[in-house]
Amino acid sequence: MKKNRLILFSVLVLLLAGGFVLFGKSIFGSLTPVVKYTVLEKSELLKSISTEGLVESDNKVNLFSTLSYPVHKINVNTGDIVTKGQVLSELDTADLQLNIAQLKAELDEMEKNKLNTDAKEIAIQRLELQLSKSAIKSPINGTVTAVYAKEGENRPGLQFVVEDTQRLKIMAKIKEYDVTRIKEGMTVIIKSDSLDGTEYNGKVVKVHPAAVKNEQAETMTVPYIEFISEIEIQQNTELRIGMNARLLIIIDKKENVLSLPYDAVGRNEQGDKVVYALEQNSQNKYVAKEIKVTTGLETDFRVEVISDQLSAGMKIINDASNMKDQMRVDFMDKSIGDQ
C-alpha cells in the first residue's frame, strides 16, 4: 500500500515539475488565456425591425346591392379588368318599371282632377331611385377579384370586389415595443417566400394611431398588442394581393464603418470604453493592446466603433471581459471556431 502511494506521489511531482502540456497549453504554467478574434472590416451597418405583413390593394371597393330583385345579367368574371363606370351586373327590374309606369298614370289622373299629388310624387321618386341603382357599376379602374352575384338569385348584399392590382401596399404588424421607433418615410426591404426571396423596395407611409382591435372593438392583447403600419411598394413587382411578405424596416443605416460584436467592447478601470487588439511585443509574444473607442450605431448583434487607432485588417479580441492592457494572450487559429 505504501509503495503504491509513493508511486502516485512521484507521478504528481513529475507532472508539476514538467509542466504537463495538454493540447499544447500548460495547465500549470502561466495559464495564458486563449482568445478568439474578429478581423476588423469596413461594411454596411443596418439597424432594423423584422416583421411580416399581407399584400393588399391600395384602392379596393366592395360593391353592394340593397335591392330585393333577382339578378338578370352578370357582365364580368373574376380576373376581368374593368373601367370606371362599367356596368358589372343588372337586376331584373321589369316589375319595378311596371310599378313606376302605373304610378305615373295615377299621377296624371290626379293632376287632371287637381288632387294633392305629393305622396304620389314621393313614391315615384323612391322607385326611380331604386331603378337607378339596379345596374351595379365599378367606381374605379381595376380588376374584379371576387364575384358573389349569381344570375337568377335575389340576394341583396355584397356582389363584387374590385381592386387596383397595380397599386399595392402591405399591412404590416408591429409589436407594441417597436411601434414608437417607426416613422413615416422609412425605407423597407420586402421579400416573399413565394418569389424565392427576391427583394423589393418599399416605404412606410402610415402608422396607425391605435392598436389592433377585435370584433368587439376591444384592443387585442393575445398573444401581444400589435399596431398596423402601411407599407407602400415602390416598384413593379410579382407580388399579388393576399401574399404574405417578410419585411425589414430600416431604422438607421451607415455605410463603410467599422463594427464589432458587442462583447468585444468593454470598459477599463477608468470607465473608458475600450477594445483589445492582438499585437506582438518585443519578445514576439502576443499581447492585448488596449484602444479607447467611442461607439456609434448599434444593431441587434454589432456596434459601430470609432477610434483613430483602429483600421481595417486589425485583429480585435472578441471578448473584452477580463482583458487588461499588455496582457499576454494566445489565440486560436482563424480556422478554429467562430472568428
Side-chain angles (χ1 to χ4, degrees):
M1 180 65 73
K2 290 182 178 180
K3 183 177 181 180
N4 290 340
R5 288 179 181 176
L6 181 61
I7 293 173
L8 179 59
F9 178 75
S10 300
V11 171
L12 291 173
V13 170
L14 288 172
L15 289 176
L16 289 169
F20 177 67
V21 175
L22 179 63
F23 301 116
K25 303 296 178 184
S26 172
I27 62 173
F28 298 105
S30 62
L31 294 178
T32 301
V34 179
V35 299
K36 296 182 181 181
Y37 64 86
T38 293
V39 178
L40 204 55
E41 295 178 336
K42 287 190 174 183
S43 61
E44 179 183 77
L45 202 59
L46 291 178
K47 186 175 185 177
S48 61
I49 294 173
S50 297
T51 187
E52 297 179 346
L54 195 66
V55 179
E56 297 184 6
S57 172
D58 195 37
N59 191 10
K60 171 185 174 181
V61 290
N62 295 328
L63 300 176
F64 293 85
S65 173
T66 59
L67 304 178
S68 296
Y69 298 99
V71 176
H72 172 64
K73 185 179 181 182
I74 297 175
N75 300 321
V76 295
N77 295 306
T78 300
D80 286 354
I81 297 174
V82 296
T83 57
K84 183 177 180 179
Q86 182 174 334
V87 176
L88 308 184
S89 69
E90 304 165 55
L91 299 181
D92 184 349
T93 59
D95 290 344
L96 178 60
Q97 293 182 60
L98 185 61
N99 289 338
I100 292 172
Q102 184 176 344
L103 288 175
K104 285 184 175 180
E106 293 174 359
L107 178 64
D108 291 341
E109 192 66 28
M110 293 175 69
E111 287 176 342
K112 289 178 183 179
N113 295 323
K114 296 183 180 182
L115 300 174
N116 189 310
T117 61
D118 290 349
K120 192 68 66 176
E121 289 175 354
I122 292 173
I124 292 172
Q125 290 173 4
R126 186 182 297 114
L127 293 181
E128 286 180 336
L129 179 60
Q130 291 185 14
L131 184 62
S132 69
K133 295 180 178 180
S134 64
I136 295 181
K137 301 177 182 179
S138 175
I140 63 170
N141 297 328
T143 301
V144 179
T145 56
V147 177
Y148 299 100
K150 293 184 179 180
E151 290 186 359
E153 286 193 1
N154 182 351
R155 57 182 305 273
L158 182 61
Q159 305 292 301
F160 302 93
V161 179
V162 179
E163 302 180 74
D164 186 339
T165 57
Q166 301 304 310
R167 292 172 50 194
L168 301 178
K169 65 181 178 181
I170 298 172
M171 305 300 282
K173 297 179 179 180
I174 309 298
K175 293 181 176 61
E176 179 184 12
Y177 51 79
D178 284 330
V179 70
T180 57
R181 297 196 289 161
I182 296 177
K183 309 297 180 186
E184 292 181 7
M186 284 182 170
T187 298
V188 182
I189 298 172
I190 303 167
K191 294 182 180 181
S192 174
D193 293 336
S194 303
L195 301 175
D196 298 324
T198 303
E199 289 188 1
Y200 300 110
N201 297 322
K203 181 177 71 174
V204 177
V205 294
K206 186 176 182 180
V207 180
H208 289 197
V212 176
K213 300 183 185 301
N214 59 23
E215 294 179 354
Q216 287 73 44
E218 300 169 333
T219 297
M220 295 180 62
T221 59
V222 179
Y224 30 65
I225 295 174
E226 291 181 321
F227 290 75
I228 295 296
S229 177
E230 296 185 21
I231 311 299
E232 176 186 88
I233 301 172
Q234 295 186 294
Q235 63 189 103
N236 293 328
T237 72
E238 295 297 320
L239 293 169
R240 297 191 178 189
I241 294 169
M243 279 186 174
N244 289 308
R246 292 184 286 113
L247 309 171
L248 197 67
I249 302 174
I250 308 303
I251 304 300
D252 202 353
K253 174 181 177 181
K254 283 190 175 182
E255 296 181 352
N256 204 32
V257 297
L258 299 172
S259 67
L260 289 167
Y262 276 97
D263 289 343
V265 181
R267 289 188 183 272
N268 60 17
E269 293 180 353
Q270 291 73 42
D272 301 314
K273 288 183 179 180
V274 295
V275 299
Y276 294 92
L278 284 173
E279 183 179 72
Q280 281 185 299
N281 62 15
S282 57
Q283 288 81 39
N284 290 325
K285 302 293 185 180
Y286 278 94
V287 296
K289 178 185 177 183
E290 181 181 287
I291 299 174
K292 292 181 182 180
V293 298
T294 56
T295 55
L297 179 61
E298 297 180 3
T299 70
D300 290 339
F301 304 104
R302 299 180 73 85
V303 58
E304 178 188 5
V305 288
I306 305 164
S307 172
D308 293 338
Q309 299 181 62
L310 292 178
S311 60
M314 294 178 69
K315 297 175 180 178
I316 307 298
I317 295 172
N318 283 358
D319 189 351
S321 63
N322 301 318
M323 289 290 107
K324 294 184 180 298
D325 190 31
Q326 300 304 311
M327 176 185 286
R328 171 80 173 88
V329 295
D330 285 327
F331 61 90
M332 286 188 174
D333 186 83
K334 190 172 176 58
S335 63
I336 301 175
D338 299 324
Q339 307 301 335

